[in-house]
Amino acid sequence: MSRKPVVAVVGRPNVGKSTLFNVLAGSRISIVQDTPGVTRDRIYADVEWLGKKFTLIDTGGIEPDSKDVILAQMREQAQIAIDTADVIIFLCDVRQGLTDADMKVADMLRKSRKPVVLTVNKVDSFKKFESDVYEFYNLGIGDPYAISAASRLGLGDMLDVVVEKFPADLGDDEEDERPRVAIIGKPNVGKSSLINRLTGKDRVIVSDIAGTTRDAIDTPVKHNGTEYVFIDTAGLRRKGKIKEEIEKYSVFRSVAAVERADVVIVMIDATEGVTEQDAKIAGIAHDQGKGIIVVVNKWDAIEKNDKTIYEFRNKIKQTLSFMAYAEYVFISAKTGLRVDKLFDEIDLVRQSQSLRVQTGVLNEILADAVAMQQPPSDKGRRLKIYYMTQVGVKPPTFILFVNDKELMHFSYTRYIENKIREAFGFAGTSLKFITREKKEKDV
């Protein structure tokens, strides 16, 4: 499975990171919209340039408590970018000129050997700022590209260089048929303990300090003759970070890991219950149309009666209401309780993601659904759905041909989705619906 490259934007405060991010992201913002409990931090977005798609992440918003706040903040952002991105856009400001903080971060980026595109912002006239732009050659990280994010100048040249620097081996997973499973969740929820339980080895250092795991590693695990690859979103390697920073960091790491996975395990700590941070992290997997299994860990630590599991599941489902289709498993990574059941769930979700339904069968279900509940109408004009067909998998994607797109209310799409799920299950995967207008004479 080929994954999209990840591009991160790094730079001092007020150099225009958010402006650049918003201009490049356009309307393709991918965070879950209008979902209770999911903060609308626009941390990442899907962007396309010259037919090449990539995930853009904005590393802003981390504000360390430090005497030299700006440098500490930039270093933190640069570290996130180095750890998660394939290409880094280092944004500077022509009006503030070259600063000591820019120099120090450029050193970090140079040592990382990651491809960097040095971008100088707020250049609304190249003639006027030419000599100021050349000053940035002193950073020693390549040619500076002059842009104005606010005026949308120079962006094409910069993006040409960004996509040129994408690694050539991103598509190497094409031949790799092994199921890829990302494990995401808040720090200290037990991600590493689960990997250790699956492999039978103490592979990662686990301690009780949130965020002490080392870097993310792909771990192959064999079960019943099938090899699975588990992608662990390891957290910070530096101690003493404030909780908000660690949480923000775990969201960035999740974006990069989810991008590479077929199925995503969203881990929740049974002793803490479900939180807004869990919803934010789960929203990333939902947004990317991945297969999702909600794994409730530390289940051995919960006082239980015969109703506990149902009550707990319902509470989680309320918070994660935007992904009602997710599968649930209650485990203990520590004792091994139900860990083996995970493989059955992964296989089930993968089958759902690749399931194709014949057009004839789909349209029978559609005809029954329309007969049972009349499509909506507005000002005397009623929605007509002519037919539907499946056009893709991972996630299963359907096109509905209708007389008027405006009449296709979200609630009616949801109704048709439920009817399809009743017939075919599609356990653990989101379904995508595209509405297309067709004139009656074309049908």
Side-chain angles (χ1 to χ4, degrees):
M1 188 186 91
S2 176
R3 71 175 177 91
K4 290 203 294 285
V6 175
V7 177
V9 185
V10 170
R12 274 180 299 125
N14 305 319
V15 295
K17 290 194 298 294
S18 297
T19 309
L20 177 62
F21 178 81
N22 291 335
V23 167
L24 295 183
S27 60
R28 284 182 291 274
I29 290 303
S30 56
I31 217 78
V32 181
Q33 292 297 332
D34 303 323
T35 305
V38 176
T39 315
R40 303 224 225 294
D41 286 355
R42 307 211 304 184
I43 290 173
Y44 66 98
D46 293 325
V47 180
E48 189 171 336
W49 180 251
L50 301 179
K52 290 188 173 158
K53 293 180 176 170
F54 59 93
T55 299
L56 183 70
I57 61 174
D58 180 6
T59 61
I62 287 183
E63 291 165 24
D65 179 20
S66 151
K67 289 182 183 69
D68 188 355
V69 171
I70 289 174
L71 182 57
Q73 186 172 350
M74 283 181 72
R75 281 194 164 139
E76 196 63 69
Q77 290 171 14
Q79 192 60 55
I80 288 169
I82 289 163
D83 288 348
T84 57
D86 297 298
V87 178
I88 297 164
I89 296 174
F90 182 26
L91 198 61
C92 301
D93 180 343
V94 76
R95 287 152 204 250
Q96 292 174 29
L98 195 53
T99 68
D100 187 41
D102 289 331
M103 286 293 222
K104 286 187 168 138
V105 171
D107 284 344
M108 265 178 89
L109 295 175
R110 197 181 313 107
K111 284 178 190 144
S112 79
R113 301 191 180 281
K114 282 276 173 102
V116 177
V117 179
L118 174 59
T119 305
V120 184
N121 193 20
K122 304 185 187 176
V123 182
D124 37 31
S125 154
F126 192 72
K127 222 174 199 160
K128 186 171 140 195
F129 289 109
E130 192 173 10
S131 57
D132 299 315
V133 171
Y134 289 146
E135 185 194 358
F136 288 89
Y137 272 108
N138 293 322
L139 289 172
I141 50 172
D143 300 335
Y145 289 86
I147 67 159
S148 165
S151 311
R152 304 184 175 223
L153 296 173
L155 296 179
D157 290 347
M158 177 203 68
L159 286 171
D160 286 349
V161 181
V162 168
V163 299
E164 263 169 34
K165 290 184 185 286
F166 288 163
D169 59 358
L170 284 176
D172 278 3
D173 295 345
E174 289 290 352
E175 287 77 54
D176 189 348
E177 289 294 307
R178 297 177 299 177
R180 306 180 78 79
V181 185
I183 303 179
I184 65 175
K186 288 186 312 196
N188 224 32
V189 72
K191 298 188 291 288
S192 303
S193 305
L194 176 59
I195 296 268
N196 290 343
R197 171 62 63 178
L198 294 168
T199 56
K201 295 188 195 77
D202 257 356
R203 182 193 55 89
V204 275
I205 303 157
V206 181
S207 83
D208 286 339
I209 304 160
T212 52
T213 321
R214 288 182 311 201
D215 248 351
I217 309 166
D218 285 7
T219 309
V221 176
K222 211 163 190 168
H223 180 78
N224 288 348
T226 303
E227 192 163 64
Y228 301 78
V229 178
F230 284 88
I231 304 160
D232 175 16
T233 50
L236 290 160
R237 288 160 301 170
R238 294 165 298 291
K239 293 178 190 173
K241 295 288 165 207
I242 55 171
K243 184 167 178 278
E244 287 75 24
E245 266 179 66
I246 291 174
E247 290 197 345
K248 192 107 180 177
Y249 196 100
S250 69
V251 172
F252 289 120
R253 301 303 290 265
S254 301
V255 173
V258 164
E259 194 57 75
R260 299 175 45 218
D262 307 298
V263 177
V264 178
I265 288 176
V266 178
M267 272 189 105
I268 289 172
D269 186 331
T271 61
E272 283 187 19
V274 64
T275 65
E276 188 179 311
Q277 175 73 1
D278 292 318
K280 194 189 291 185
I281 289 174
I284 296 165
H286 169 76
D287 251 9
Q288 302 277 356
K290 303 295 180 178
I292 300 179
I293 302 166
V294 175
V295 169
V296 181
N297 189 25
K298 308 185 188 176
W299 194 239
D300 56 315
I302 297 291
E303 294 267 327
K304 293 179 269 297
N305 60 35
D306 58 347
K307 294 190 184 66
T308 315
I309 207 158
Y310 303 105
E311 288 164 359
F312 209 93
R313 185 186 283 134
N314 288 340
K315 199 173 277 181
I316 300 173
K317 279 190 162 178
Q318 279 170 0
T319 306
L320 306 183
S321 58
F322 54 91
M323 40 182 245
Y325 54 83
E327 289 291 288
Y328 283 78
V329 187
F330 290 76
I331 70 159
S332 165
K334 199 161 140 192
T335 67
L337 173 78
R338 286 199 208 93
V339 166
D340 266 6
K341 192 172 184 320
L342 273 181
F343 292 102
D344 296 340
E345 292 291 341
I346 290 164
D347 293 344
L348 174 70
V349 171
R350 283 183 71 235
Q351 282 167 6
S352 294
Q353 280 209 295
S354 306
L355 185 61
R356 284 186 184 274
V357 183
Q358 289 173 321
T359 303
V361 182
L362 272 179
N363 286 291
E364 280 174 29
I365 290 166
L366 179 63
D368 288 348
V370 169
M372 283 166 68
Q373 190 173 319
Q374 222 179 12
S377 61
D378 186 36
K379 298 189 182 77
R381 185 163 160 73
R382 186 168 293 284
L383 172 71
K384 278 186 189 158
I385 306 175
Y386 300 123
Y387 68 102
M388 74 188 291
T389 185
Q390 186 175 350
V391 291
V393 292
K394 287 187 177 179
T397 303
F398 304 90
I399 293 186
L400 289 153
F401 292 95
V402 303
N403 61 336
D404 186 346
K405 264 165 81 164
E406 295 300 309
L407 292 171
M408 189 74 198
H409 295 175
F410 167 76
S411 58
Y412 202 74
T413 309
R414 172 67 60 86
Y415 164 69
I416 289 168
E417 175 179 340
N418 290 339
K419 289 295 171 198
I420 291 171
R421 286 189 186 280
E422 277 172 29
F424 301 104
F426 283 112
T429 182
S430 60
L431 303 182
K432 192 173 168 193
F433 289 88
I434 299 160
T435 309
R436 292 259 166 88
E437 257 175 45
K438 238 179 170 14
K439 298 288 166 273
E440 296 213 29
K441 61 178 188 299
D442 299 339
V443 178

